[in-house]
Amino acid sequence: SLAEAGCMSYYVYHDFDNPARFLLYQNWINREAQEQHSLNAHVRTWMKNRHNLLAEPFETSFWQIIK
């Protein structure tokens, strides 16, 4: 994702207490860049197959910096 236009940062974290639990933190320049990312083939493939890969559902949230 870092190579994509509008991606400012991309980090993957794991829980100290549960190494099977992850947090993916993506920082996009704007909502439109994130939406464009969602149209990529690899993201669509992930979304289609995620139920077979994850032990529990994942959550997505969108945040905005307060200036």
Side-chain angles (χ1 to χ4, degrees):
S1 291
L2 284 175
E4 294 178 54
C7 184
M8 298 171 59
S9 60
Y10 186 98
Y11 299 100
V12 180
Y13 299 91
H14 72 85
D15 187 326
F16 282 116
D17 298 323
N18 181 356
R21 187 171 181 212
F22 293 88
L23 168 72
L24 279 69
Y25 176 82
Q26 301 175 17
N27 189 13
W28 296 90
I29 195 144
N30 55 35
R31 186 70 181 259
E32 292 77 25
Q34 191 283 326
E35 289 171 354
Q36 188 64 38
H37 164 73
S38 297
L39 299 175
N40 288 327
H42 71 280
V43 177
R44 290 194 326 261
T45 299
W46 158 252
M47 293 300 290
K48 180 180 173 184
N49 296 310
R50 70 186 186 273
H51 303 292
N52 300 323
L53 302 169
L54 301 174
E56 57 187 62
F58 73 94
E59 296 179 30
T60 300
S61 60
F62 298 93
W63 298 67
Q64 182 174 336
I65 295 174
I66 298 173
K67 296 180 181 181

